[in-house]
Amino acid sequence: MSQKVLYFDCFSGISGDMTLSALVNLGVPREYLLSELKKLPLDGYRIEFKDDQKKGIWGLRADVILEEEPHSHGQDHDHEYSHDHGHSHDHGHSHDHGHSHDHEHRNFAAIKTLFQESSLSKEVIDLAMRIFARVAEAEGKIHNKPADQVHFHEVGAVDSIVDIAAAAICMDYLKPDAVYCSPVELGGGFVKCAHGMMPVPAPATLEILKGIPVKTGAVPFETTTPTGAAILAEVVDTFTASLTMAPEKTAYGIGHRDTDIPNVLRVFWCKPAEEALEDKSLEAVLVDCNIDDMNPELYSPLLDKLFECGVYDAYLTPIIMKKGRPAVKLSILAPLEKEEEIGKLILTETSSFGFRTSYVRKQNLDRKIETRESSLGPVRVKSLYSKDEKIKSKLEFEDCLRISQEKDMTLPDVYRILGGEVL
């Protein structure tokens, strides 16, 4: 069974809202996410999704809109270290909603109660609590307090609660077998917090990312928030700068600030490279050469030998070479393991001095051959399938030819009769 691997490419950092955007864009149904969030006893917000782009890269942007006490854009808020939305230092992922944030001084214990009173699944609640615990423990260490006693706006604000709950819901829906992540870009410069100007990364972010590979300096702003860092620290199995995988589906979560690099979070499904290489039915070698000085009588036995060798296909194409010379192009499509044998056949069975080789991806329908009874006798029928759905069927030519000879009938008549009876 193929392994489902989820990869976070954090070349422009990560925040809670970008995680939500990217995972929904990857395949979590919006309706499912919104219905699950309603199980949390929390109101006063709505989520708006829209297509957006940064530096020409299109993806999905999610805004958590707070519905109480509107105020002007860009209003400063005194809070603890980096908030994921609309905060005064306006880092690379800030929402800047234009709505008041719920600045109740919720502590970690109160948030536990909020989730325990919800009807979310145990798996979602457990993951959300582990992510919140990462932030609470980091803040507690910085402020020299037990995690349960930390009062701070970061995990107390509605939008951050929604981001973390949404991340847990999305991860539970996707159910990856493994999660990988690139080194995390933190940005640079300074960030304005309740205690004054702090260097990027903010203390809580740096505490959460202990032992995790990071990079800095891509832009002079904060690009990774405590919420984004805590999500990664909890869900990622392996951090690596060198990914040996075969990507299968890519999605982008769009940030809010315009920076010199695309302000996006890229995520993709992939499978281990070994699995891709083992999928021989989809990998093939294409070998071809031009021939202008060979006896045409030799082509037929050459094609016979190639098919006996086990190639997928072999064919001849008339071409005109330099100086107007007519020639033939020999093309051979074959399994990868036949490459050496085919090369030897070309050099020994043709007048060519060499050949060209390229590697291609071969896709074909699954096939099944059945023998069916008809008024003209037994005939084989080849049926072609895609994921167990029959796409088309055709009569085997050799059987039709045999019947036409045995019955002294024309081939068109054989096809007409058999086609009406067995297809």
Side-chain angles (χ1 to χ4, degrees):
M1 180 181 294
S2 180
Q3 188 180 32
K4 291 172 58 180
V5 178
L6 179 62
Y7 186 77
F8 285 85
D9 188 5
C10 300
F11 65 86
S12 188
I14 184 172
S15 65
D17 59 292
M18 292 175 75
T19 303
L20 159 61
S21 304
L23 296 181
V24 169
N25 199 16
L26 188 65
V28 178
R30 300 179 192 183
E31 299 75 15
Y32 173 82
L33 173 64
L34 296 176
S35 67
E36 288 296 298
L37 283 172
K38 288 179 182 177
K39 296 179 180 179
L40 194 65
L42 188 69
D43 53 20
Y45 76 93
R46 68 182 188 277
I47 300 179
E48 293 183 355
F49 296 98
K50 71 172 184 177
D51 294 330
D52 200 357
Q53 62 86 27
K54 294 296 180 185
K55 301 293 184 183
I57 296 178
W58 282 87
L60 186 67
R61 170 173 159 176
D63 288 312
V64 180
I65 307 296
L66 304 181
E67 297 179 331
E68 297 176 357
E69 301 177 15
H71 63 269
S72 62
H73 285 284
Q75 179 174 334
D76 286 354
H77 299 292
D78 288 331
H79 53 73
E80 299 297 338
Y81 299 106
S82 311
H83 197 290
D84 260 19
H85 310 278
H87 50 324
S88 54
H89 55 272
D90 190 27
H91 62 67
H93 310 296
S94 65
H95 271 281
D96 198 17
H97 293 312
H99 292 281
S100 171
H101 293 265
D102 179 0
H103 275 184
E104 297 176 23
H105 283 239
R106 287 189 178 95
N107 60 21
F108 184 38
I111 291 170
K112 283 183 183 177
T113 301
L114 181 72
F115 275 82
Q116 288 165 356
E117 291 176 350
S118 77
S119 56
L120 289 164
S121 71
K122 181 180 183 300
E123 292 77 15
V124 169
I125 293 173
D126 287 349
L127 177 55
M129 286 300 92
R130 294 198 303 272
I131 295 171
F132 272 112
R134 296 265 184 177
V135 182
E137 289 166 4
E139 294 284 3
K141 183 171 182 179
I142 292 166
H143 299 297
N144 196 27
K145 294 181 180 179
D148 278 354
Q149 296 179 17
V150 171
H151 287 74
F152 52 105
H153 306 296
E154 163 64 17
V155 297
V158 168
D159 39 17
S160 290
I161 293 174
V162 172
D163 279 346
I164 291 177
I169 292 167
C170 289
M171 292 300 296
D172 182 67
Y173 178 88
L174 294 172
K175 289 183 169 55
D177 295 316
V179 182
Y180 286 67
C181 184
S182 68
V184 185
E185 175 61 48
L186 304 181
F190 286 80
V191 58
K192 183 179 180 182
C193 298
H195 300 276
M197 298 296 291
M198 295 285 179
V200 171
T205 303
L206 193 59
E207 183 66 28
I208 293 167
L209 292 174
K210 283 195 307 185
I212 292 174
V214 300
K215 300 184 294 183
T216 61
V219 292
F221 311 104
E222 180 186 41
T223 59
T224 294
T225 66
T227 298
I231 292 170
L232 292 180
E234 188 55 45
V235 306
V236 173
D237 301 303
T238 304
F239 290 87
T240 175
S242 178
L243 180 68
T244 307
M245 292 281 172
E248 295 188 313
K249 182 179 180 181
T250 306
Y252 294 90
I254 305 299
H256 295 77
R257 177 187 284 278
D258 290 320
T259 62
D260 290 338
I261 61 175
N263 186 14
V264 302
L265 171 63
R266 177 163 56 190
V267 296
F268 45 87
W269 283 120
C270 50
K271 64 181 179 180
E274 311 83 63
E275 287 187 17
L277 292 173
E278 288 170 2
D279 193 1
K280 297 297 185 184
S281 64
L282 296 180
E283 299 293 337
V285 59
L286 180 62
V287 182
D288 60 61
C289 62
N290 299 342
I291 303 172
D292 67 346
D293 57 354
M294 185 167 124
N295 182 348
E297 293 176 333
L298 300 179
Y299 284 122
S300 182
L302 170 63
L303 293 178
D304 289 342
K305 284 189 176 182
L306 287 168
F307 282 111
E308 289 171 7
C309 171
V311 305
Y312 294 129
D313 201 3
Y315 51 93
L316 304 169
T317 307
I319 60 173
I320 301 296
M321 295 176 58
K322 63 184 179 180
K323 299 181 181 179
R325 299 201 311 271
V328 170
K329 178 180 178 181
L330 170 64
S331 301
I332 305 155
L333 183 66
L336 293 174
E337 63 268 18
K338 296 292 183 179
E339 180 178 353
E340 185 176 349
E341 189 174 353
I342 291 168
K344 184 177 180 180
L345 273 172
I346 290 176
L347 296 177
T348 58
E349 300 283 342
T350 77
S351 60
S352 177
F353 290 174
F355 52 87
R356 297 175 293 271
T357 301
S358 57
Y359 300 94
V360 296
R361 192 162 182 83
K362 179 178 179 290
Q363 299 186 12
N364 52 266
L365 296 171
D366 295 327
R367 62 192 66 191
K368 180 180 180 182
I369 298 179
E370 301 172 290
T371 299
R372 300 179 184 175
E373 292 299 326
S374 74
S375 60
L376 300 179
V379 60
R380 288 177 297 167
V381 176
K382 181 186 297 178
S383 298
L384 303 174
Y385 295 83
S386 175
K387 297 180 179 177
D388 297 326
E389 178 186 357
K390 186 162 75 171
I391 304 300
K392 63 185 77 171
S393 295
K394 62 177 292 186
L395 299 164
E396 284 292 299
F397 169 75
E398 290 81 4
D399 286 10
C400 293
L401 178 61
R402 171 183 53 79
I403 291 172
S404 73
Q405 293 170 344
E406 291 175 352
K407 305 289 186 181
D408 194 21
M409 299 171 61
T410 65
L411 267 173
D413 282 344
V414 171
Y415 272 100
R416 177 178 54 80
I417 294 171
L418 294 179
E421 292 184 1
V422 301
L423 291 183

